[in-house]
Amino acid sequence: MYLYLISCLNIELCYFHDCLSNQIMRVELVLLASLWCNCTTAQCEKTGSRCETDGACMASTSFIGGEVQHIRICITHDKLVPPGQPFYCRSAEGLLTIHCCYTDYCNSIDLQVPSGYGPGGTWGLVELIAVIAGPLFLLCLLLLVGVFLYQYHRRAYSHRQRLDVEDPSCDHLYPAKDRTLQDLIFDLSTSGSGSGLPLFVQRTVARTIVLQEIIGKGRFGEVWRGRWRGGDVAVKIFSSREERSWFREAEIYQTTMLRHENILGFIAADNKDNGTWTQLWLVSDYHEHGSLFDYLNRYSVTAEGMIRLALSAASGLAHLHMEILGTQGKPGIAHRDLKSKNILVKKNCTCAIADLGLAVRHDSATDTIDIAPSQRVGTKRFALTHTLLRTWPQSVLIFMLWGIHEEYQLPYYDLVPSDPSIEEMRRLVCEQRVRPNIPNWWQSYEALRVMGKIMRECWYANGAARLTALRIKKTLSQLSIQEDIKV
């Protein structure tokens, strides 16, 4: 029984194989037969726009350059791969129509242009590209505008984002566009504790200043003239190595009740990081005359000008020394580096004391002095002067007096080199007790006589006998009334 079934199966398989072989041979015979087709290529013009092939006839229609093009060619048998669906006979989806056939001249038909193309279609190729690329372009443009607006607003409000402002009610304190520095200082300083602008206002102002030109240099760094909303400000730029000096000076300037017309007006302190190094800024009022040293080198002052300069400087120093008691009181402050280069001349020819980096404050409650841990020391020419004088260095008066009718010179210019050492100054001032010479002709003028008397009383070896800044201020005030000088 099993042998019979196997025999029958073999017979069936042989029959199927023979049939399949016959079919393939029949198809190959058909394909290998000669076939005539219509042809539109330039090579077919010699044969009457027809060609002969052993493969198939092909007709295609495409839309190129705004025109419909009909193409008819012959395809050889070796190009009809794979069998059943040759690559040459496949249409590109939506772009090209191709038809293959296997009878003589069967490719004479005109195929329809793909839907959506050509004169009868809705869109051409250019229109389709515009439809696809247009929205993408608009999307990119909107993204660029969005990024630009985001960066703009981020820069505009970066100051608020960098500050830890806990009270939202302080938003009105940010400087409005129509407010000047004088308005800010008057509203936020004189009406409050008098210690200066709030920290976040300082940073907002400092980071919108445009530097214009350098106006001075020192061991701490540089001084620049800057512009803020049409007004000039002075920007003292410390190097990162002088951070302690910068912090100390900013701290002293922001002492409660320190603001005074004869003390340099402090505006702001901020650190500026440009990505390479950090700059420490101290922003203050700008005075175009510069320091008293520069002013007296450029101009000769009259007796009236001398009294005005001396009285304003004494007023600033007296306020610096004064202790104000109360919940919002002010400690007594000693400058410790008072000299002509640290006194500025204002536009009205009065003085403003500056450079408080070496200043110390006295706490009367504990009877202690806070001395900053700084390596910096005062100018050697005046370092020992402070050991002789209680509150008011006589050199400041000499600077003013020497500008009257005579050539301006530094104290002891004829006795020590231009850059004397500590030992040279100690020997001259402390051991030999040499004092600057006062010309006899000063006795002929009341103003000069009074000034000479003040100077001599500041030179006493006994510290308790020397004049205080307040006493000097009162004496000069009386002198200004006698001379009918308006200060």
Side-chain angles (χ1 to χ4, degrees):
M1 182 66 179
Y2 290 109
L3 294 175
Y4 174 75
L5 291 175
I6 293 173
S7 300
C8 291
L9 181 60
N10 290 333
I11 293 172
E12 293 293 332
L13 289 173
C14 291
Y15 177 75
F16 176 76
H17 180 267
D18 293 340
C19 292
L20 182 61
S21 299
N22 291 334
Q23 291 294 332
I24 293 174
M25 290 176 63
R26 193 175 294 114
V27 171
E28 290 180 349
L29 289 175
V30 172
L31 292 176
L32 291 174
S34 296
L35 185 66
W36 288 95
C37 306
N38 292 316
C39 180
T40 57
T41 62
Q43 298 176 350
C44 297
E45 292 180 357
K46 298 179 181 180
T47 59
S49 298
R50 62 178 185 172
C51 59
E52 184 179 8
T53 180
D54 58 351
C57 298
M58 188 191 76
S60 67
T61 303
S62 61
F63 187 74
I64 301 175
E67 296 181 356
V68 178
Q69 295 184 0
H70 298 283
I71 300 174
R72 298 175 178 85
I73 59 173
C74 292
I75 300 177
T76 58
H77 177 264
D78 58 341
K79 294 182 179 179
L80 295 176
V81 292
Q85 286 187 334
F87 292 118
Y88 271 85
C89 299
R90 294 183 182 181
S91 298
E93 185 69 23
L95 298 177
L96 189 67
T97 300
I98 299 176
H99 172 70
C100 291
C101 55
Y102 303 95
T103 60
D104 290 337
Y105 305 111
C106 61
N107 63 340
S108 60
I109 60 175
D110 290 335
L111 301 175
Q112 297 296 324
V113 179
S115 177
Y117 290 88
T122 56
W123 289 327
L125 182 60
V126 177
E127 288 82 356
L128 181 62
I129 294 174
V131 169
I132 296 174
L136 293 177
F137 175 77
L138 291 177
L139 180 60
C140 294
L141 184 62
L142 290 175
L143 288 175
L144 289 175
V145 172
V147 170
F148 174 78
L149 292 176
Y150 171 75
Q151 294 293 338
Y152 174 79
H153 289 290
R154 184 180 180 184
R155 287 193 299 268
Y157 297 99
S158 60
H159 305 299
R160 296 190 184 186
Q161 295 172 359
R162 284 192 291 263
L163 301 175
D164 297 324
V165 182
E166 298 179 358
D167 187 3
S169 64
C170 295
D171 289 344
H172 70 282
L173 297 178
Y174 284 93
K177 292 183 178 180
D178 58 344
R179 301 184 73 185
T180 63
L181 281 175
Q182 288 72 21
D183 297 333
L184 287 175
I185 293 171
F186 180 81
D187 294 342
L188 302 180
S189 180
T190 57
S191 60
S193 64
S195 60
L197 300 176
L199 179 60
F200 48 90
V201 178
Q202 291 184 34
R203 291 182 175 178
T204 302
V205 171
R207 296 181 185 184
T208 52
I209 290 174
V210 179
L211 299 179
Q212 300 293 318
E213 60 177 339
I214 188 169
I215 56 177
K217 288 186 178 181
R219 74 194 99 190
F220 58 84
E222 301 173 339
V223 180
W224 286 73
R225 179 179 67 85
R227 297 284 289 178
W228 190 80
R229 294 188 180 178
D232 289 326
V233 294
V235 182
K236 191 175 182 180
I237 302 179
F238 295 75
S239 64
S240 57
R241 298 186 302 272
E242 297 290 337
E243 182 176 3
R244 287 184 176 180
S245 298
W246 167 79
F247 181 82
R248 178 62 175 181
E249 189 163 0
E251 182 185 32
I252 295 292
Y253 271 119
Q254 296 179 88
T255 302
T256 304
M257 304 301 293
L258 180 64
R259 188 167 291 275
H260 188 271
E261 62 179 348
N262 298 124
I263 295 177
L264 180 63
F266 170 78
I267 297 174
D270 193 17
N271 53 346
K272 307 266 288 189
D273 190 350
N274 64 359
T276 305
W277 66 85
T278 301
Q279 291 181 339
L280 307 173
W281 281 26
L282 201 67
V283 185
S284 63
D285 292 339
Y286 173 75
H287 301 299
E288 60 185 22
H289 286 311
S291 68
L292 181 61
F293 178 88
D294 298 329
Y295 183 80
L296 294 177
N297 270 297
R298 288 194 300 264
Y299 308 105
S300 293
V301 298
T302 62
E304 179 181 343
M306 171 199 67
I307 295 174
R308 183 179 292 108
L309 290 170
L311 177 56
S312 58
S315 298
L317 192 61
H319 180 76
L320 202 64
H321 292 170
M322 182 186 302
E323 180 181 7
I324 302 175
L325 301 177
T327 55
Q328 292 290 335
K330 169 192 165 296
I333 299 175
H335 191 285
R336 296 208 306 162
D337 192 22
L338 192 62
K339 57 184 179 181
S340 61
K341 289 188 177 181
N342 291 340
I343 298 177
L344 302 178
V345 180
K346 301 167 68 173
K347 192 173 183 179
N348 60 358
C349 294
T350 59
C351 290
I353 295 175
D355 197 352
L356 301 180
L358 284 180
V360 295
R361 293 179 292 197
H362 176 251
D363 186 352
S364 60
T366 60
D367 195 23
T368 57
I369 296 177
D370 65 329
I371 299 178
S374 175
Q375 300 294 327
R376 184 181 162 200
V377 296
T379 306
K380 289 178 286 186
R381 186 179 294 269
F382 306 103
L384 292 178
T385 304
H386 292 288
T387 66
L388 291 173
L389 306 183
R390 182 177 178 184
T391 55
W392 172 259
Q394 82 281 12
S395 57
V396 176
L397 294 177
I398 295 174
F399 289 141
M400 300 171 190
L401 295 173
W402 247 248
I404 301 176
H405 307 303
E406 295 184 10
E407 183 182 355
Y408 165 72
Q409 298 290 349
L410 286 169
Y412 307 110
Y413 72 95
D414 54 344
L415 299 174
V416 295
S418 59
D419 187 18
S421 65
I422 290 288
E423 288 303 319
E424 289 173 331
M425 292 302 300
R426 182 190 302 278
R427 182 169 56 255
L428 183 68
V429 177
C430 298
E431 297 177 4
Q432 301 177 12
R433 296 188 178 183
V434 176
R435 302 293 183 264
N437 181 45
I438 297 178
N440 292 328
W441 62 266
W442 284 17
Q443 302 299 322
S444 304
Y445 299 89
E446 178 63 17
L448 296 181
R449 186 190 66 78
V450 173
M451 294 295 285
K453 182 175 181 294
I454 292 175
M455 291 170 60
R456 280 189 292 267
E457 290 178 349
C458 288
W459 290 340
Y460 291 143
N462 183 4
R466 300 175 200 144
L467 299 179
T468 64
L470 183 59
R471 179 68 265 171
I472 295 174
K473 175 184 175 182
K474 290 180 178 180
T475 302
L476 292 175
S477 296
Q478 293 174 358
L479 179 61
S480 66
I481 294 175
Q482 293 176 9
E483 299 290 330
D484 193 20
I485 299 173
K486 294 181 180 179
V487 180

